[in-house]
Amino acid sequence: NAGVTQTPKFQVLKTGQSMTLQCAQDMNHEYMSWYRQDPGMGLRLIHYSVGAGITDQGEVPNGYNVSRSTTEDFPLRLLSAAPSQTSVYFCASSYRGQRTDTQYFGPGTRLTVL
Amino acid sequence: AQKITQTQPGMFVQEKEAVTLDCTYDTSDPSYGLFWYKQPSSGEMIFLIYQGSYDQQNATEGRYSLNFQKARKSANLVISASQLGDSAMYFCAMRDLTTSGTYKYIFGTGTRLKVLA
């Protein structure tokens, strides 16, 4: 199993550009989520999904869109990039998102918005 | 509101000694899970240990143990016999119930541990 994969690893955007961060998992996990990590702020939840076709907002959803058309994939879209979105983005998945399930993280995408 | 608090931005420990990383949490849900993750300088997130709110015993995983004090709402990570490879950022996290009946995870701001030779 590849686990949780994320592409790209690094990305530089100009203000106003759009892009999609890709996330895929091959563990048949129902629960997937996106976080951003900023210095001194830990990981903050952007969006999450409890299964194909079901998504919900986390703590910091503004400026980001998600969709979940398959169990395996959970892309994160930046509609119009802003410098405030410069961050490291992590995708994670777990079996059902229930109390005892551990999240497995992808390697992260380091995004810089100029 | 649900919250995870890690009050130690940075810690030092001598190699082979034990160290405790603090974590307190706040939730109104009686059923929750607590996790610790390690993030080395390479950036990946590594799961260390889990404690369920109904678990009667403190969780242990090798050199890691979780000092769970439910009444005080604390879930401190204890690393015994510290090694140089333990130098990393450590995050405490909680899985909590949302208003829509699903679960989401909340993370603390992390503690950076440096093990000294």
Side-chain angles (χ1 to χ4, degrees):
Chain A
N1 285 350
V4 181
T5 59
Q6 290 183 239
T7 56
K9 286 192 175 182
F10 301 93
Q11 183 70 49
V12 179
L13 292 178
K14 293 182 179 178
T15 297
Q17 287 184 317
S18 63
M19 80 158 295
T20 299
L21 306 185
Q22 301 293 344
C23 174
Q25 52 89 12
D26 61 358
M27 298 175 282
N28 202 30
H29 285 171
E30 295 181 2
Y31 189 98
M32 296 185 74
S33 52
W34 276 102
Y35 296 87
R36 59 178 289 173
Q37 182 178 19
D38 302 294
M41 302 193 75
L43 277 77
R44 293 183 292 168
L45 182 65
I46 304 172
H47 287 285
Y48 65 100
S49 169
V50 299
I54 307 170
T55 63
D56 205 348
Q57 295 181 350
E59 183 184 358
V60 287
N62 293 341
Y64 308 95
N65 272 4
V66 293
S67 60
R68 184 96 178 270
S69 56
T70 67
T71 300
E72 294 78 20
D73 301 299
F74 190 43
L76 178 72
R77 282 183 290 276
L78 281 70
L79 305 175
S80 178
S84 61
Q85 294 179 304
T86 294
S87 188
V88 179
Y89 291 84
F90 286 97
C91 178
S93 73
S94 64
Y95 181 50
R96 281 203 183 96
Q98 293 182 3
R99 188 175 62 90
T100 57
D101 289 328
T102 299
Q103 283 192 114
Y104 295 90
F105 283 81
T109 295
R110 186 175 295 274
L111 175 68
T112 301
V113 182
L114 302 176
Chain B
Q2 303 96 334
K3 191 176 180 181
I4 290 277
T5 302
Q6 294 179 256
T7 58
Q8 308 154 311
M11 290 277 288
F12 290 95
V13 65
Q14 205 65 38
E15 193 178 12
K16 300 181 184 177
E17 293 186 349
V19 63
T20 298
L21 306 184
D22 294 341
C23 173
T24 59
Y25 60 92
D26 190 18
T27 179
S28 56
D29 181 11
S31 176
Y32 52 89
L34 296 157
F35 304 79
W36 277 92
Y37 287 86
K38 172 184 178 181
Q39 186 179 43
S41 58
S42 53
E44 71 267 33
M45 295 288 288
I46 302 168
F47 166 73
L48 294 178
I49 196 167
Y50 165 82
Q51 180 83 45
S53 59
Y54 294 122
D55 294 342
Q56 294 297 315
Q57 293 187 328
N58 287 345
T60 60
E61 291 285 348
R63 294 187 298 109
Y64 304 108
S65 61
L66 203 152
N67 184 2
F68 182 46
Q69 298 186 45
K70 195 170 182 177
R72 298 180 61 183
K73 293 190 174 180
S74 73
N76 298 339
L77 177 70
V78 180
I79 305 175
S80 63
S82 296
Q83 302 172 355
L84 296 178
D86 293 334
S87 294
M89 181 73 88
Y90 289 81
F91 289 100
C92 180
M94 176 172 65
R95 178 165 29 221
D96 204 3
L97 188 67
T98 69
T99 53
S100 58
T102 59
Y103 287 87
K104 65 180 180 181
Y105 298 78
I106 304 164
F107 282 77
T109 52
T111 296
R112 185 169 297 281
L113 177 67
K114 176 70 174 177
V115 180
L116 305 173

